Amino acid sequence: MIDSLRAASPIAGASVSATRVGAARETTLVARTDAKGRFAFERIDAGEYAIGFAHALLDSLEFGGPARRVVVPPPQS
């Protein structure tokens, strides 16, 4: 995750959430960005997810940002 307001520097400590869309049971996974703005979910099943993010800097700017839809394909053999 990159802060486009401050010389494209990484945003560390942001919360990134992935919520499964259209599943019988709603599942939300959460990861934190590292010092380089990178994040990873330990495990994510195939399906469609709404990806969102939050950070104190973004809150102070009153920017929540829209959730993005992402499709995670099933593993291939």
Side-chain angles (χ1 to χ4, degrees):
M1 177 172 270
I2 301 295
D3 177 359
S4 61
L5 298 176
R6 293 187 302 176
S9 60
I11 298 178
S15 174
V16 182
S17 63
T19 302
R20 185 102 185 248
V21 177
R25 190 183 83 184
E26 185 176 287
T27 303
T28 300
L29 305 168
V30 179
R32 291 255 182 227
T33 57
D34 66 12
K36 292 185 178 181
R38 301 175 299 190
F39 67 93
F41 298 106
E42 286 187 32
R43 178 174 181 248
I44 190 165
D45 294 328
E48 186 175 354
Y49 293 84
I51 306 294
F53 53 89
H55 188 272
L57 172 64
L58 300 174
D59 291 345
S60 71
L61 297 172
E62 296 182 6
F63 178 77
R68 299 261 183 172
R69 297 274 175 127
V70 175
V71 175
V72 176
Q76 297 180 5
S77 56

